[in-house]
Amino acid sequence: MSSKEPLSPIERLNAAMDSGELRQVRYTLNNSMRPVEIAHLLDKSPPKERQLLWGLVNKDLEGDVLQHLGYDVQAEILSRMETREVLEITEGLDIDDMADLLQQLPERIMRELLQTMDIQNRARVEQVLSYDEDTAGGLMNTDTVTIRPDITVETALRYIRRHKEIPDMTDSLFVVSRRDAYIGILPLTKLLVSDPDMLVREIMSTDIEPIEATMTDSEVAQLFEQHDLVSAPVIDEDGKLLGRITIDDVVDVIREDADHSLMSMAGLGEDADTFAPLLRTTRNRAIWLGINLLTAFIASAVIGVFEATIEKVVALAVLMPIVASMGGIAGSQTLTLVIRGQALGHVERSNIGWLLNRELVAGALNGLLWAAVVAAVAIIWFQDIYIGGIIAAAIVINLIAGALAGTLLPIGLKAAGIDPALAGSVLLTTITDVVGFFAFLGLATYFYS
């Protein structure tokens, strides 16, 4: 008889919570789980359980746990804290993580916290906060190790040894001038194996281009992916080194961008709390449902124009949803492809024409294929050759319209400064519904009048 496998920390924690053994819950949280695991547990817990669990987390772990929480949950917990408590738990955090936490606080409390910091930390945090959080400047950490190009390898090694510790994810030292202008990088692997008498300028690398502080975080993520970077320097407009971005922050950006694309298509924020209170959840969804209702009225108005034709030929009411659905699905496929291409930096002005032609031809070919299938079914079903021809023509027209809208909508929205993932799907549905109904019912009115 085989013995049972030992329970994981989370399984032991769930068992302890079910039995009401809070002492065991506290022990498991603080001794058997890492901060990221505690954060994951809080994210997936309903509000009452979340509040109970947070109260059991040791003070020395709270800061590390907070930085791994979703923004909504993070803001909820921070809102219940006093300024003194926030200052205590942020002590020791990396500058970029501290800045992220402070941005969740009301302006008054954030300023109050900044005033209580020492001068050096306050200057570093304010530097990060001066940039938008979705830029390299807002993403960077100001904790860097810099050296001059005119010192020897032996001197650089002695300088590093004087540090009690070096910042996490440090794979290179940044070489700067006396005015802190970025010159290049010196990988630690190269430093350790080089001749101690060689100068830094002889072994440093200038191949890694610095990242401007105003670059968007999505562009930063693309650079890290393309060049397999672990860290990269961040500079201001004058070329002065401000800080560095590390791969752990880039992974967060990639995950947030993926969440954004998924959630935006449903009209939700990427940081929405899965277990948010009922009223907040209802309010957030009501806005998007209202917008969708307005677009639905537009499609209904088109149907209303052809009311007399529908009354005369009942088959039209049965077949209408097929035309709209086929166009909507085809358009959504194109829309998703183009939005993904934009996110990856693949879609540019030089290749839009080729992409549009490809999607139009694909839409037309698919339209002809499925139009023949639907027409055959409609003719057999209703014993009417005209209805088959009408729905076939309407499907071809709507699939081409879906391909056209799916390609041009995200490009136009992005040019207008509107998020394609957020607005694209609603506009696309409206277009394919209106075009589909108008083509189908318009052709029916012509042939049956």
Side-chain angles (χ1 to χ4, degrees):
M1 185 175 178
S2 61
S3 58
K4 291 184 178 179
E5 292 184 7
L7 296 176
S8 69
I10 290 182
E11 287 172 332
R12 292 201 302 272
L13 183 68
N14 289 333
M17 288 182 66
D18 291 340
S19 62
E21 297 177 9
L22 292 186
R23 185 178 300 175
Q24 179 62 37
V25 173
R26 183 190 295 275
Y27 179 84
T28 305
L29 273 175
N30 298 296
N31 296 280
S32 301
M33 297 177 68
R34 295 174 297 153
V36 66
E37 292 174 324
I38 300 173
H40 179 65
L41 181 65
L42 291 169
D43 277 335
K44 69 177 188 177
S45 297
K48 286 186 178 179
E49 288 183 21
R50 181 184 294 157
Q51 193 169 347
L52 172 65
L53 288 169
W54 176 253
L56 298 175
V57 176
N58 284 349
K59 290 292 181 185
D60 60 339
L61 288 176
E62 287 182 343
D64 291 327
V65 172
L66 265 177
Q67 65 178 302
H68 293 294
L69 290 171
Y71 285 154
D72 268 11
V73 180
Q74 207 177 74
E76 175 199 328
I77 290 175
L78 287 170
S79 67
R80 294 198 299 267
M81 288 185 176
E82 296 180 1
T83 305
R84 173 186 54 79
E85 292 178 291
V86 177
L87 185 63
E88 286 176 0
I89 66 173
T90 55
E91 188 176 354
L93 291 182
D94 289 341
I95 296 300
D96 56 339
D97 293 326
M98 190 183 299
D100 287 342
L101 289 179
L102 292 182
Q103 287 174 337
Q104 305 302 314
L105 298 170
E107 184 76 17
R108 178 185 60 80
I109 296 177
M110 184 175 71
R111 290 297 165 199
E112 191 177 332
L113 273 171
L114 287 171
Q115 291 302 319
T116 60
M117 293 179 184
D118 62 63
I119 296 174
Q120 186 180 37
N121 275 340
R122 186 195 313 159
R124 288 176 173 177
V125 172
E126 286 180 338
Q127 186 176 49
V128 175
L129 290 174
S130 67
Y131 292 98
D132 189 274
E133 62 179 326
D134 294 330
T135 63
L139 196 64
M140 70 179 178
N141 191 337
T142 58
D143 195 3
T144 60
V145 181
T146 60
I147 55 174
R148 302 277 187 260
D150 53 358
I151 65 172
T152 64
V153 168
E154 184 178 2
T155 304
L157 287 169
R158 284 205 308 269
Y159 170 67
I160 293 173
R161 291 191 192 103
R162 288 208 304 267
H163 290 73
K164 292 181 180 178
E165 58 181 7
I166 60 175
D168 292 338
M169 307 297 294
T170 298
D171 64 322
S172 302
L173 307 181
F174 296 129
V175 185
V176 296
S177 70
R178 294 190 179 278
R179 295 185 179 181
D180 286 333
Y182 171 77
I183 299 174
I185 67 167
L186 178 55
L188 291 179
T189 50
K190 196 165 188 179
L191 177 68
L192 293 173
V193 299
S194 296
D195 185 331
D197 294 325
M198 294 186 74
L199 294 177
V200 167
R201 67 161 55 92
E202 295 178 274
I203 60 172
M204 72 180 188
S205 171
T206 56
D207 294 339
I208 303 299
E209 289 291 327
I211 295 172
E212 292 189 10
T214 53
M215 180 181 287
T216 65
D217 56 3
S218 297
E219 291 173 324
V220 171
Q222 288 174 21
L223 281 178
F224 268 70
E225 179 189 3
Q226 290 165 4
H227 300 288
D228 294 326
L229 300 176
V230 174
S231 67
V234 179
I235 60 170
D236 64 12
E237 62 274 11
D238 298 320
K240 181 180 177 182
L241 182 71
L242 298 176
R244 66 189 178 120
I245 294 174
T246 52
I247 188 63
D248 56 326
D249 295 314
V250 173
V251 169
D252 290 338
V253 170
I254 294 169
R255 179 182 56 79
E256 287 167 7
D257 283 351
D259 287 346
H260 172 77
S261 297
L262 177 65
M263 300 292 277
S264 290
M265 287 188 176
L268 302 173
E270 68 267 28
D271 302 312
D273 179 9
T274 306
F275 297 98
L278 175 62
L279 290 178
R280 192 200 311 167
T281 301
T282 304
R283 182 178 65 250
N284 291 343
R285 295 182 187 181
I287 296 170
W288 198 248
L289 287 169
I291 294 171
N292 190 64
L293 181 62
L294 289 174
T295 62
F297 275 127
I298 296 172
S300 298
V302 173
I303 296 172
V305 172
F306 300 99
E307 184 179 355
T309 306
I310 296 171
E311 287 178 355
K312 188 185 300 181
V313 185
V314 179
L316 298 176
V318 178
L319 297 174
M320 271 194 311
I322 296 175
V323 179
S325 176
M326 291 293 286
I329 293 295
S332 294
Q333 290 173 335
T334 303
L335 181 78
T336 303
L337 182 76
V338 175
I339 290 176
R340 176 180 176 273
Q342 288 177 325
L344 294 174
H346 294 170
V347 178
E348 299 175 348
R349 183 174 297 180
S350 60
N351 57 28
I352 289 172
W354 186 94
L355 186 63
L356 178 60
N357 287 335
R358 196 275 307 273
E359 290 302 317
L360 288 175
V361 173
L365 291 175
N366 265 316
L368 291 170
L369 169 64
W370 294 108
V373 173
V374 174
V377 172
I379 291 169
I380 295 170
W381 189 355
F382 295 102
Q383 299 295 305
D384 186 339
I385 195 170
Y386 286 112
I387 202 75
I390 290 167
I391 195 169
I395 286 177
V396 172
I397 292 169
N398 208 21
L399 261 67
I400 293 173
L404 182 65
T407 305
L408 297 182
L409 266 178
I411 294 169
L413 288 170
K414 189 173 183 179
I418 301 170
D419 185 357
L422 184 61
S425 58
V426 171
L427 292 175
L428 175 72
T429 302
T430 304
I431 290 169
T432 53
D433 282 355
V434 168
V435 171
F437 291 145
F438 191 85
F440 185 50
L441 297 176
L443 288 169
T445 300
Y446 176 79
F447 281 101
Y448 287 104
S449 58

